[in-house]
């Protein structure tokens, strides 16, 4: 268990430019009657939805940033999952430590 914990910590991604939130793509029509978007799906528009202190924010993302932001959001999710795994391992170690202490007490009696 302890070894697994150290392995998890070793694999932990470095805290860098990860982002929280979700990137979503939607389509909008610009409203110009001569634009090609009148017939198609519309213009792709990207937005990043994120939470700050319990409040939801939405930020428009320029199309040329979308790929990079998507990568950073995915990296952020990976980091969160990895941290959760380490914290879960810590809880299991705590439980094990408690069990061991109880065993020790019983032996003394
Ligand atoms: Zn248009």
């Amino acid at each position: 268990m302890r070894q697994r914990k150290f392995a998890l910590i070793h694999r932990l991604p470095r805290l860098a430019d990860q982002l929280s939130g979700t990137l979503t793509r939607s389509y909008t029509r610009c409203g110009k009657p001569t634009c090609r978007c009148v017939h198609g799906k519309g213009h792709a528009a990207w937005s990043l939805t994120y939470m700050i202190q319990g409040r939801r924010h939405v930020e428009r993302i320029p199309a040329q940033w979308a790929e990079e932001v998507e990568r950073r959001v995915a990296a952020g999710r990976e980091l969160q999952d990895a941290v959760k795994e380490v914290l879960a391992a810590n809880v299991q170690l705590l439980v094990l430590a408690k069990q061991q202490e109880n065993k020790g007490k019983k032996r003394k009696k």
Side-chain angles (χ1 to χ4, degrees):
M1 192 65 222
R2 208 173 294 270
Q3 276 169 350
R4 197 173 91 86
K5 178 194 164 173
F6 286 123
L8 286 172
I9 289 176
H10 199 71
R11 282 204 338 253
L12 213 56
R14 251 169 212 250
L15 194 52
D17 60 354
Q18 293 95 337
L19 292 171
S20 65
T22 27
L23 186 67
T24 49
R25 181 171 57 178
S26 57
Y27 292 94
T28 55
R29 292 192 164 82
C30 62
K32 287 180 201 151
T34 50
C35 183
R36 59 179 173 83
C37 73
V38 172
H39 299 291
K41 271 196 283 189
H43 303 278
W46 296 87
S47 55
L48 181 69
T49 306
Y50 60 99
M51 304 286 285
I52 298 283
Q53 289 174 341
R55 290 186 65 179
R56 192 170 165 270
H57 298 260
V58 182
E59 188 67 37
R60 278 179 153 268
I61 300 297
Q64 67 269 24
W65 285 16
E67 207 175 306
E68 172 74 1
V69 170
E70 193 163 37
R71 186 190 64 75
R72 292 172 61 184
V73 166
R77 210 168 296 133
E78 246 170 65
L79 177 70
Q80 280 179 339
D81 288 347
V83 168
K84 272 185 208 159
E85 252 188 280
V86 171
L87 297 190
N90 282 347
V91 173
Q92 285 174 291
L93 284 171
L94 178 84
V95 172
L96 281 177
K98 203 190 115 192
Q99 284 170 351
Q100 242 135 43
E101 195 175 278
N102 286 345
K103 270 182 206 163
K105 275 178 193 163
K106 273 174 198 164
R107 255 180 234 133
K108 275 174 200 165
K109 276 178 189 173

